[in-house]
Structure formats: C-alpha cells, structure tokens
Amino acid sequence: MKMKEKIKQFYQSHKYIWVAIIYFLCYLPWYFGIQQRDPSHFFDMHVVLDGMIPFVPAFIDVYMYWFLFVFGTGLFVFLYDKEEFYKFCLMLFGGMTICLIIFTIFPTTFDYRPAHITGTPVEKFFLNLVYSADKPTNVFPSIHVYNSLGCAIILTHSKKFKGSKKMFFFAWISAIMITLSTMFVKQHSCMDAFAAMIICFIMYQVTYGPFETWRQKVNAKENAVYQNN
C-alpha cells in the first residue's frame, strides 16, 4: 500500500481528531485574549501556606515534564481507542473551559516569583522561559494541575491499563509531582491547586457517569444498525 493511501486510511479511521482541533481554535484566542488584561485590579491568590512553601528550582524539570505527560496521554488515547479519546477530550477540555470561565469573571494573580533565579544552567533556562512566556495571571484554578490529574484518571481508567499497579503509580506520582512543582516554582498558589482538584472531581463524575452511559447507548445503536445492514 502506498504512503498516500496509508495516510488517507489512517485519517478515515481517526477523523475524531477534529474534536481537539476545533476546541483549540476556540480555546487559544480566549486564553491569550484574557491574558492581555490589566492585572492591577486582579485578586491576589496568596495565602499563608504559600509563604511556607520554598522556591525549589529543581522542580522546574517536573513542571516542564507536564507537557510530555499531557501530550503523551492524549496521543496514546487518540491512537488506541476512539471512546477513550472522547473521554480524554471531555475530561480535559471540559475542565479547561470551566477554568476559562472562572478566569474571565474572576481574574486572579500570583506574582511571587523569586527576584534572583538560582539553580543549574538548565533549570535557569527553563525558569526564565516559563516566566517570560507565562504571565502570573489567571491562575485560579490551575490548568497545569487540572490536566495532570485528568491525565492520571484517563490512564488509570483506560481499558489497556485498568488494574495495572505500574500504571497507577506512574500516572499518580506524575500528577502529584507536577502539582507540587507548580507551587515550588512559584507559578501557583496552593489554592489554585485545590480548586483544580475540585473541578477534576466534578468532571470525573461527568466523564465516567452520564457521558459514559450515553456513549454506550450510542455505540449499541450503531452496532445494531451495522448488524442489520
């Protein structure tokens, strides 16, 4: 089979990629649009516990690992199973949309980055990269934390890994470490992480409750039509 035909065949069996493409075409302008607002009157999310959490530059490596963890999870479910990809999209995109709505009506800030950045050359590079690219605004809830928890849920509930102790520890240790990293590199308040956990719990109930039931009914109808034909 020629490469062109293989690509066409792959696209025909993975058309659901448009769910993610269409979402990000809406998400990105919204997110970066509200990032342009004047933060002078934003609500400061700093609480007493944040002052007790030290700045640990080594955690920037874990913070950057988030990109690999989330992308890897999304790629896995996209290639592995359409239904699990739909759950991934609902879980992550649903929560991210809730975060955007909160950002819009309740703008927040957490500007407690160190005046002097320490660490190894690599850590300094990534810290400067993150600090320059990501404004310390619209932090509550933390999308970084939310997506990490969401990916852990998706992986541990996957048909391929369900019941796997190795995947359970990998997914949840990754999510926990990434959550801690947001606070140790002073990107988020502990309140941002806590809010993300609440939203994640709500979206978990939706994704593996009503949505899963609805998809099972849809699949049953599709299979019935296929068998009749």
Side-chain angles (χ1 to χ4, degrees):
M1 184 182 295
K2 295 181 180 180
M3 181 60 68
K4 185 177 181 180
E5 293 177 347
K6 288 183 178 180
I7 294 174
K8 184 178 180 180
Q9 187 180 63
F10 178 81
Y11 172 72
Q12 290 296 328
S13 61
H14 293 79
K15 285 185 177 180
Y16 45 88
I17 186 62
W18 281 101
V19 175
I21 294 174
I22 292 173
Y23 178 76
F24 278 105
L25 287 175
C26 300
Y27 171 84
L28 293 175
W30 187 356
Y31 177 80
F32 287 106
I34 59 178
Q35 285 287 74
Q36 306 308 311
R37 297 177 296 181
D38 178 12
S40 58
H41 299 294
F42 283 14
F43 186 84
D44 187 354
M45 290 306 303
H46 187 273
V47 294
V48 175
L49 181 57
D50 294 316
M52 301 168 63
I53 300 174
F55 168 66
V56 184
F59 268 90
I60 191 61
D61 297 326
V62 183
Y63 187 88
M64 298 302 294
Y65 165 64
W66 173 86
F67 294 95
L68 180 61
F69 184 55
V70 174
F71 178 77
T73 302
L75 181 62
F76 162 70
V77 294
F78 170 67
L79 296 175
Y80 176 65
D81 186 86
K82 179 176 70 173
E83 294 304 315
E84 294 194 7
F85 180 72
Y86 283 150
K87 290 177 184 176
F88 171 86
C89 290
L90 176 61
M91 186 76 193
L92 268 67
F93 300 167
M96 289 162 66
T97 301
I98 293 174
C99 290
L100 284 181
I101 294 172
I102 295 174
F103 295 162
T104 303
I105 63 179
F106 180 57
T108 51
T109 183
F110 185 75
D111 194 2
Y112 292 88
R113 297 167 175 177
H116 177 66
I117 296 177
T118 58
T120 67
V122 173
E123 290 165 357
K124 289 180 180 179
F125 170 79
F126 282 128
L127 283 164
N128 282 312
L129 178 65
V130 170
Y131 288 169
S132 60
D134 191 10
K135 295 180 180 180
T137 57
N138 299 314
V139 294
F140 176 89
S142 168
I143 291 180
H144 217 81
V145 171
Y146 177 83
N147 283 349
S148 302
L149 298 173
C151 285
I153 290 172
I154 293 295
L155 288 172
T156 53
H157 284 70
S158 167
K159 288 179 289 186
K160 185 175 181 63
F161 298 119
K162 197 169 185 178
S164 169
K165 292 183 178 180
K166 289 182 179 179
M167 177 51 70
F168 179 87
F169 285 114
F170 164 75
W172 283 108
I173 288 175
S174 293
I176 291 170
M177 291 300 291
I178 291 171
T179 297
L180 292 174
S181 76
T182 65
M183 293 174 275
F184 281 121
V185 299
K186 298 301 176 180
Q187 277 291 94
H188 285 282
S189 163
C190 59
M191 295 302 295
D192 305 335
F194 181 66
M197 294 176 192
I198 294 175
I199 296 174
C200 193
F201 175 78
I202 294 171
M203 288 307 302
Y204 167 75
Q205 300 301 321
V206 173
T207 303
Y208 292 94
F211 179 75
E212 185 169 30
T213 301
W214 174 72
R215 285 303 306 174
Q216 288 174 352
K217 291 180 179 178
V218 170
N219 289 334
K221 289 181 180 179
E222 290 178 348
N223 292 332
V225 172
Y226 177 78
Q227 290 176 358
N228 291 333
N229 292 334

